[in-house]
Amino acid sequence: MQQFCVFGNPIAHSKSPLLHNATFASLGFEARYGRHLLSESSALAHTFFALKLQGVNITVPFKEAAFAQSDEVRGIAKEIGAVNTWVLERDRIIGYNTDAQGFFMCVQGWDMRTALIIGAGGSAKALAFILRQNGITTHLLNRSSGRLQEFARNGFTCFTSDEFDSTHAYDIVINTTPAGLSDESLPLESTRLCEILSRARYGFDLIYGKRTPFLQLAQNLGLQTSDGAQMLINQAALSSELFSFGAIGFKDALKCMNALGL
Ligand code: NDP
């Protein structure tokens, strides 16, 4: 039986085993999907081969290390510099990024030309590149400057919270920080965030499983909002198609995963 897994730290909370095992069972694909807590990014490829896996999802904080340890990287992951999916193909590790497309599928029908991403971590990278690839002018705002430098080198307009002039207007504002995940904090000081959101049409938070203060504020200001649950499902369904070399179709996987009602 083929074996799949998710690598991360922490990993106990991951919904990936639930999503993939339900899909495998429902579509009659002979495979099992587990989770593995990793402490060292240097152990990624070694662990992948030691566990005899056919494929793996990689989550926080190992997506950049997984990019570096891939034998080949395909698609938009080459630009992003981070991969969340590995597939074993003729004994070589092939890396993909399904977060980017998974996110974009959520907002595809939305009428937007400009985006502000709050946060500058791994997920912000995936979003910035896919938004730009789709013709959406994308700016980044982060509390500190360090991680913004790579975005600036890639041609994105970047601001630290201190530099940001909140008179800028954006169609969509996206929270990619963990602010609000395990507390009730906002990713940015409340008055300035209100100013930005009051000129926007859409608010998106990558966090799922709770209505964050960011999403609540956006909703109170009349914006159309979405949390990260559908993005999680979309990226998993895309990974499932890659894991099975197309034996599991994206639409069938999506149907199974959506039926779980996350
Ligand atoms: P990273 O750790 O790579 O980056 C986090 C970013 O958020 C950094 O820029 C950091 O700033 C900033 N930040 C951290 N804490 C705060 C805070 N309290 N206030 C303001 N800014 C803060 O994380 P990821 O990009 O990998 O993930 C971010 C979030 O997205 C997580 O909550 C994760 O669960 C979620 N996620 C959801 C997915 C989905 O499918 N729905 C997929 C991937 C991620 P600094 O640079 O100053 O440290």
Side-chain angles (χ1 to χ4, degrees):
M1 185 182 281
Q2 297 190 54
Q3 302 289 336
F4 298 90
C5 188
V6 56
F7 289 163
N9 191 347
I11 201 61
H13 67 290
S14 173
K15 301 242 187 272
S16 294
L18 170 70
L19 291 168
H20 286 282
N21 284 322
T23 304
F24 295 160
S26 159
L27 299 177
F29 187 72
E30 290 277 305
R32 288 286 304 156
Y33 189 109
R35 54 166 71 83
H36 192 88
L37 177 72
L38 267 189
S39 46
E40 281 277 334
S41 62
S42 59
L44 273 174
H46 173 79
T47 309
F48 180 75
F49 286 114
L51 294 176
K52 298 190 176 3
L53 299 168
Q54 293 303 305
V56 71
N57 286 121
I58 302 105
T59 186
V60 180
F62 301 124
K63 292 179 189 180
E64 274 106 345
F67 172 87
Q69 292 176 43
S70 303
D71 292 312
E72 182 185 335
V73 175
R74 292 187 188 153
I76 195 170
K78 285 190 273 194
E79 284 180 76
I80 296 169
V83 310
N84 72 323
T85 305
W86 271 357
V87 178
L88 189 65
E89 198 178 298
R90 292 188 209 96
D91 294 329
R92 296 174 72 240
I93 296 176
I94 313 297
Y96 300 88
N97 188 305
T98 66
D99 285 333
Q101 202 185 340
F103 162 76
F104 201 73
M105 285 171 162
C106 297
V107 299
Q108 217 149 16
W110 296 7
D111 178 19
M112 54 187 196
R113 291 192 183 82
T114 54
L116 178 67
I117 297 176
I118 307 178
S123 54
K125 265 193 213 165
L127 271 52
F129 281 98
I130 194 92
L131 285 165
R132 182 161 74 182
Q133 196 180 75
N134 284 278
I136 293 159
T137 304
T138 302
H139 293 177
L140 287 111
L141 168 60
N142 197 41
R143 62 182 180 182
S144 62
S145 62
R147 286 162 135 163
L148 288 173
Q149 286 169 15
E150 197 181 335
F151 288 88
R153 274 197 298 278
N154 280 296
F156 290 99
T157 301
C158 300
F159 308 95
T160 60
S161 310
D162 292 342
E163 295 161 350
F164 190 73
D165 169 3
S166 44
T167 57
H168 283 291
Y170 301 95
D171 295 321
I172 182 170
V173 182
I174 308 157
N175 177 35
T176 71
T177 81
L181 177 63
S182 53
D183 55 26
E184 292 305 307
S185 68
L186 290 166
L188 190 65
E189 186 270 315
S190 143
T191 313
R192 303 180 80 202
L193 188 58
C194 275
E195 282 171 4
I196 300 166
L197 289 174
S198 58
R199 277 188 290 278
R201 257 180 293 166
Y202 308 106
F204 197 105
D205 200 324
L206 262 56
I207 294 170
Y208 53 87
K210 82 174 267 200
R211 182 135 285 258
T212 59
F214 170 84
L215 270 196
Q216 193 59 60
L217 181 61
Q219 197 179 23
N220 293 348
L221 291 167
L223 278 70
Q224 181 177 331
T225 59
S226 174
D227 73 2
Q230 193 61 51
M231 172 180 167
L232 177 81
I233 289 172
N234 292 345
Q235 65 76 27
L238 289 162
S239 292
S240 181
E241 190 171 32
L242 292 168
F243 287 156
S244 65
F245 295 96
I248 297 176
F250 168 72
K251 284 187 180 157
D252 290 334
L254 196 62
K255 207 167 153 192
C256 293
M257 292 179 183
N258 275 330
L260 294 169
L262 287 192

